[in-house]
Amino acid sequence: MNHSLKPWNTFGIQQNANQIVRADSAQQLLDAWQSAAEKDEPVLILGEGSNVLFLDDFAGTVIVNRIMGIAVEERADSWHLHVGAGENWHRLVQFTLEKGMPGLENLALIPGCAGSSPIQNIGAYGIELKHVCEYVDCIELATGSAQRLTAEQCRFGYRDSIFKHEYQDRYVIVAVGLRLAKQWNPVLTYGDLARLDPATVTPSEVFDSVCHMRMTKLPDPKVNGNAGSFFKNPVISGEDAKAFLAGWPSAPHYPQADGSVKLAAGWLIDRCDLKGTAVGGAAVHRQQALVLINQHDATSQDVVQLAHYVRQRVGEKFNVWLEPEVRFIGCKGEVNAVETIT
């Protein structure tokens, strides 16, 4: 158990694994998984470790998915991309813009790999992966049989998908299919994007604006380890939202199609004056309250205790209970993050 996981998680938390294997092909990945399964060892498949918190040493094999490649097919009204799961997401966004294929610019600078994007149904500034996803290719680990799920079959929800439920431990994502429409419609509903003129704005201006917002608000994981947004933006019922907004009329809120209302977790944390709050080596980021950082050799326990404190303070003040967006990994695999911080 002497293989350090510190380089493999953007939080920079020191834990170890029995073995770490880099897989450059689906076959290598399957071989590594099946070899661990034969020994009855736990297995964890990682992209760039940008959305995980290791709670303990991992008592098994960590497989780093580095299946690469981007293929583009052009049709009359759209471009269709087939992207290897190991491709860096932000570099993919840059690649599409350089090739004159807009549509991903709102998702610039989201950390992680393309293969992780469907698991969370990543989203930012009004766009989610489900808006551009055509299919997800995965492999059943026990049998090696390949399967292509349509976007509908992926059951995308807010930071949710089938890959967090019945497909979680049985399948691995090897590629993602994206459809980018040639008829480009800028999405300018959030933050600084609202200042841009929809009649004249270009995809690269949207990209630059998104990058600027993320770089000024979010800490660089190379300086202060973090996993981006630590908590999900809570979604509450329309009835609860009425009561909430009666007390906090200026709170940012986003009505959803089903009548529920999404609130801004960062705003809730900020209103509890928690920026800069530290537990051990972990702290709430001073510029963006939604991000918990590894300020100084934080342990996973520091992060868990800080997350618990933030959740309690917000819950007591607003009666809204935050849930982590980050995946919590125990010694044998993923554990329930809400239970861990309650």
Side-chain angles (χ1 to χ4, degrees):
M1 177 85 62
N2 57 357
H3 296 275
S4 174
L5 288 166
K6 197 169 182 177
W8 301 106
N9 73 99
T10 59
F11 244 121
I13 298 284
Q14 177 49 51
Q15 300 288 6
N16 292 317
N18 275 354
Q19 191 180 3
I20 298 173
V21 176
R22 177 192 158 117
D24 297 303
S25 69
Q27 193 54 55
Q28 282 181 335
L29 199 154
L30 267 179
D31 291 347
W33 189 90
Q34 288 172 352
S35 139
E38 279 163 22
K39 299 178 205 149
D40 214 17
E41 279 186 0
V43 186
L44 176 70
I45 298 169
L46 266 193
E48 292 185 358
S50 61
N51 198 46
V52 295
L53 176 67
F54 286 108
L55 301 176
D56 301 289
D57 286 341
F58 190 72
T61 299
V62 171
I63 304 172
V64 181
N65 183 342
R66 284 294 174 270
I67 299 169
M68 308 303 268
I70 304 172
V72 181
E73 183 195 330
E74 184 172 358
R75 296 186 198 162
D77 60 349
S78 53
W79 294 280
H80 297 258
L81 283 76
H82 180 86
V83 184
E87 290 285 348
N88 174 272
W89 178 264
H90 179 65
R91 283 203 289 276
L92 170 67
V93 176
Q94 289 175 308
F95 169 85
T96 57
L97 288 175
E98 282 161 13
K99 301 285 183 199
M101 302 181 291
L104 299 181
E105 53 286 328
N106 292 51
L107 302 176
L109 277 182
I110 292 182
C113 289
S116 310
S117 64
I119 300 172
Q120 287 287 103
N121 180 26
I122 59 169
Y125 304 112
I127 291 277
E128 289 182 325
L129 181 81
K130 70 176 181 185
H131 297 132
V132 292
C133 181
E134 194 167 31
Y135 60 80
V136 175
D137 282 350
C138 51
I139 290 177
E140 188 173 25
L141 290 158
T143 63
S145 71
Q147 191 175 351
R148 173 165 289 187
L149 297 185
T150 64
E152 196 177 27
Q153 290 170 321
C154 292
R155 296 212 312 265
F156 290 126
Y158 173 57
R159 299 295 172 271
D160 199 27
S161 71
I162 196 169
F163 303 106
K164 282 191 157 187
H165 301 286
E166 54 267 54
Y167 273 48
Q168 184 172 21
D169 296 316
R170 294 170 42 217
Y171 289 83
V172 61
I173 294 169
V174 292
V176 179
L178 305 176
R179 178 188 181 275
L180 302 178
K182 289 187 175 178
Q183 177 69 49
W184 181 64
N185 291 309
V187 177
L188 308 173
T189 38
Y190 285 75
D192 296 351
L193 298 180
R195 297 185 202 145
L196 300 172
D197 180 354
T200 59
V201 71
T202 65
S204 31
E205 283 169 347
V206 175
F207 173 85
D208 290 343
S209 185
V210 167
C211 290
H212 177 75
M213 284 190 285
R214 291 189 78 97
M215 288 192 294
T216 49
K217 284 184 185 168
L218 300 173
D220 183 345
K222 294 180 187 73
V223 180
N224 287 122
N226 70 86
S229 301
F230 193 88
F231 295 101
K232 297 177 189 176
N233 287 321
V235 178
I236 59 176
S237 70
E239 207 171 302
D240 287 346
K242 266 185 205 143
F244 173 83
L245 290 166
W248 306 93
S250 66
H253 60 286
Y254 308 96
Q256 305 296 294
D258 62 2
S260 63
V261 176
K262 188 192 287 185
L263 304 177
W267 185 91
L268 299 171
I269 298 166
D270 203 7
R271 286 305 170 281
C272 295
D273 296 321
L274 290 170
K275 281 180 178 167
T277 301
V279 171
V284 179
H285 187 51
R286 288 183 185 279
Q287 272 75 46
Q288 170 50 279
L290 195 49
V291 179
L292 305 188
I293 60 169
N294 179 352
Q295 189 167 253
H296 182 68
D297 293 333
T299 64
S300 46
Q301 206 45 44
D302 293 341
V303 179
V304 168
Q305 285 173 4
L306 179 61
H308 168 79
Y309 181 70
V310 169
R311 184 176 194 264
Q312 286 302 120
R313 287 284 301 274
V314 169
E316 285 158 14
K317 181 160 186 157
F318 297 107
N319 196 29
V320 173
W321 297 88
L322 299 178
E323 298 186 3
E325 183 174 309
V326 174
R327 298 169 63 203
F328 284 28
I329 310 295
C331 61
K332 293 186 174 175
E334 189 162 358
V335 299
N336 187 303
V338 176
E339 284 173 14
T340 307
I341 67 166
T342 302

